[in-house]
Amino acid sequence: MAAQGFVTGKGEAMSDVRIRKYRRGDREAVLRITQESFDGFCIDANMEEHFGRIANTTWQQRKRDGIDYDLRRNRDNAFVAEMNGQVVGYICTRIYRDLATGHVANMAVAKDWQGHGIGKMLMRAALDHFRDCGMRYARIETLEQNYKGQQLYPAFGFKEIGRQIFYLREL
Ligand SMILES: CC(C)(COP(=O)(O)OP(=O)(O)OC[C@H]1O[C@@H](n2cnc3c(N)ncnc32)[C@H](O)[C@@H]1OP(=O)(O)O)[C@@H](O)C(=O)NCCC(=O)NCCS
């Protein structure tokens, strides 16, 4: 599966963006994008904001480890956006055959390239992948503070079905 598109960037001409399947060699780029993009948009960062360092790790490490784990287990369901040979975004998905449901577990675009339509291209690719796999539903979650997600997902036809509250305490 590969899709092609164009984005207009910072004073540059149109750039060619290709969405393709994740490959092992993309790992470092994906993890770097994770660390730079999720500030303010992930529960690990919230934990740190309220409680300081958790178990001597940073939120970036924990988020990075979570994505790394997902990539190992679901490599064939992950896609990257490549521009001029560089990975500038990714989407990690899972296939729940029993539920006929595809799950978008995580997605991010490199900070410098956010707001240029790459997130939409990645989402389109994920939904096409779910259809190709015979799924009937697609699922995604986002934090209440993630104002971008709350615009993007309904625009792709996702309906809100519930809200969850995260709690944490010291022992
Ligand atoms: C969320 C994210 C993946 C979107 O990727 P992107 O390439 O920046 O998004 P796009 O340019 O394709 O824009 C897609 C839509 O997102 C929404 N959006 C993007 N930037 C926005 C902003 N600053 N404010 C509000 N909505 C915004 C809009 O609905 C936009 O569609 P529109 O341009 O037709 O209005 C990206 O911003 C990101 O990496 N954010 C940090 C990590 C994250 O939050 N991941 C998702 C966790 S659930």
Side-chain angles (χ1 to χ4, degrees), residues 63-75:
K63 185 72 188 171
R64 188 187 146 104
D65 289 350
I67 300 284
D68 205 15
Y69 180 77
D70 213 26
L71 289 173
R72 281 200 302 273
R73 294 197 54 173
N74 292 288
R75 194 173 58 233

Side-chain angles (χ1 to χ4, degrees), residues 15 29 52 56 76 78-79 88 90 96 111 113 119 126-127 131 152 162:
S15 298
N56 232 9
D76 292 342
F79 299 88
V88 292
Y90 69 88
Y96 298 125
K111 264 200 155 153
W113 286 101
L127 298 182
R131 288 186 192 99
L152 175 61

Side-chain angles (χ1 to χ4, degrees), residues 28-47:
E28 275 313 317
V30 165
L31 297 180
R32 183 177 35 74
I33 292 168
T34 300
Q35 291 190 198
E36 75 176 40
S37 299
F38 273 95
D39 199 4
F41 298 113
C42 73
I43 203 71
D44 289 294
N46 286 10
M47 286 162 75

Side-chain angles (χ1 to χ4, degrees), residues 37-38 41 107-109 113-121 140-142 146-149 151-153 155:
S37 299
F38 273 95
F41 298 113
M107 69 183 296
V109 170
W113 286 101
Q114 288 179 8
H116 294 283
I118 297 171
K120 281 189 274 196
M121 291 175 68
I140 191 163
E141 301 87 27
T142 197
N146 195 333
Y147 54 94
K148 295 186 188 180
Q151 296 287 321
L152 175 61
Y153 310 143

Side-chain angles (χ1 to χ4, degrees), residues 92-96 101-105 130 137-141:
C92 292
T93 78
R94 301 171 196 163
I95 297 290
Y96 298 125
T101 301
H103 183 199
V104 177
F130 295 158
Y137 306 94
R139 158 184 173 171
I140 191 163
E141 301 87 27

Side-chain angles (χ1 to χ4, degrees), residues 1-169:
M1 207 275 326
Q4 204 90 16
F6 294 95
V7 297
T8 315
K10 310 180 168 181
E12 296 178 32
M14 299 270 262
S15 298
D16 198 358
V17 177
R18 187 167 80 106
I19 308 295
R20 60 160 174 81
K21 281 224 165 195
Y22 170 83
R23 299 194 285 250
R24 276 204 184 110
D26 301 325
R27 178 174 171 268
E28 275 313 317
V30 165
L31 297 180
R32 183 177 35 74
I33 292 168
T34 300
Q35 291 190 198
E36 75 176 40
S37 299
F38 273 95
D39 199 4
F41 298 113
C42 73
I43 203 71
D44 289 294
N46 286 10
M47 286 162 75
E48 203 161 299
E49 196 186 314
H50 289 272
F51 287 84
R53 275 201 165 202
I54 306 285
N56 232 9
T57 61
T58 61
W59 72 260
Q60 288 95 336
Q61 278 170 305
R62 293 192 300 280
K63 185 72 188 171
R64 188 187 146 104
D65 289 350
I67 300 284
D68 205 15
Y69 180 77
D70 213 26
L71 289 173
R72 281 200 302 273
R73 294 197 54 173
N74 292 288
R75 194 173 58 233
D76 292 342
N77 298 310
F79 299 88
V80 297
E82 189 184 75
M83 187 165 55
N84 304 326
Q86 285 217 311
V87 171
V88 292
Y90 69 88
I91 192 160
C92 292
T93 78
R94 301 171 196 163
I95 297 290
Y96 298 125
R97 291 205 183 274
D98 293 354
L99 303 171
T101 301
H103 183 199
V104 177
N106 273 293
M107 69 183 296
V109 170
K111 264 200 155 153
D112 282 354
W113 286 101
Q114 288 179 8
H116 294 283
I118 297 171
K120 281 189 274 196
M121 291 175 68
L122 286 163
M123 180 60 79
R124 236 171 263 131
L127 298 182
D128 285 348
H129 174 60
F130 295 158
R131 288 186 192 99
D132 290 347
C133 292
M135 298 299 104
R136 299 210 43 216
Y137 306 94
R139 158 184 173 171
I140 191 163
E141 301 87 27
T142 197
L143 292 177
E144 193 160 31
Q145 70 215 54
N146 195 333
Y147 54 94
K148 295 186 188 180
Q150 286 172 72
Q151 296 287 321
L152 175 61
Y153 310 143
F156 270 84
F158 287 92
K159 302 245 177 294
E160 181 176 334
I161 54 167
R163 290 189 179 216
Q164 191 174 38
I165 305 177
F166 290 77
Y167 292 102
L168 186 71
R169 58 155 288 183

